[in-house]
Amino acid sequence: MTHRLYVFLRSDLESMVPGKAAAQVSHAATLCAGEALRMDKKNPIYKAYTEWEKEGDGFGTTIVLDGGDLSYIESELAQYNDCIYGQVDDPTYPIKDGTYTHLIPVTTCLWVFVDRDAPENIDGIVSTTDLYRGNRTVKGVLGWEIE
């Protein structure tokens, strides 16, 4: 079994700067771990997660994909069985409105932990979704532009 954690990160939020994106992906990984480790130790997902966690240098493969506004991804994930999935809800996500910044609850990403080699894997979603590359150019600490 080759399990992977896929994170579908929103790209329609202007304020999703690289640091915030990294934090949201970290939240998704933490939620996935919590969900998997709460399962009965005999559950195949629990076993797969503990194996995945030991891959490489102590963590498994995580792939961050462009989730757009998440509506397509959310409707597609509901049809898969042998996986666990969830969403990251940021209760105080900053949204700018002119000169004001509102802190509102926003779903920032969806995550799914699935066997990459299973017959009913999520190839249909993954094959039509690009890697997440951010949604704007950000000026780095040293003044370099990062795209």
Side-chain angles (χ1 to χ4, degrees), residues 3-76:
H3 277 73
R4 292 203 176 125
L5 173 61
Y6 292 99
V7 179
F8 299 92
L9 191 59
R10 285 185 67 169
S11 59
D12 64 331
L13 298 172
E14 189 175 322
S15 56
M16 185 67 78
V17 295
K20 186 155 252 325
Q24 299 307 311
V25 172
S26 176
H27 296 327
T30 301
L31 289 170
C32 174
E35 182 93 13
L37 295 174
R38 277 192 297 273
M39 294 181 158
D40 184 279
K41 291 183 180 183
K42 294 178 183 173
N43 186 308
I45 296 283
Y46 177 89
K47 290 178 182 180
Y49 181 83
T50 55
E51 288 173 18
W52 173 81
E53 203 174 35
K54 294 174 189 169
E55 283 180 15
D57 291 328
F59 50 88
T61 302
T62 301
I63 300 174
V64 182
L65 299 166
D66 187 330
D69 68 358
L70 300 181
S71 57
Y72 166 73
I73 308 296
E74 199 166 19
S75 65
E76 290 294 310

Side-chain angles (χ1 to χ4, degrees), residues 64-141:
V64 182
L65 299 166
D66 187 330
D69 68 358
L70 300 181
S71 57
Y72 166 73
I73 308 296
E74 199 166 19
S75 65
E76 290 294 310
L77 283 181
Q79 68 181 324
Y80 296 99
N81 294 326
D82 294 327
C83 66
I84 53 172
Y85 63 91
Q87 63 188 43
V88 175
D89 295 314
D90 188 332
T92 58
Y93 193 85
I95 300 288
K96 285 203 173 244
D97 180 16
T99 58
Y100 296 100
T101 300
H102 303 278
L103 301 177
I104 62 171
V106 170
T107 298
T108 57
C109 60
L110 299 173
W111 58 268
V112 61
F113 182 72
V114 65
D115 182 356
R116 179 73 176 90
D117 300 325
E120 284 191 12
N121 62 29
I122 63 169
D123 274 351
I125 300 173
V126 172
S127 64
T128 59
T129 307
D130 294 328
L131 289 172
Y132 182 80
R133 297 183 186 276
N135 57 0
R136 63 186 197 162
T137 300
V138 176
K139 205 158 211 154
V141 176

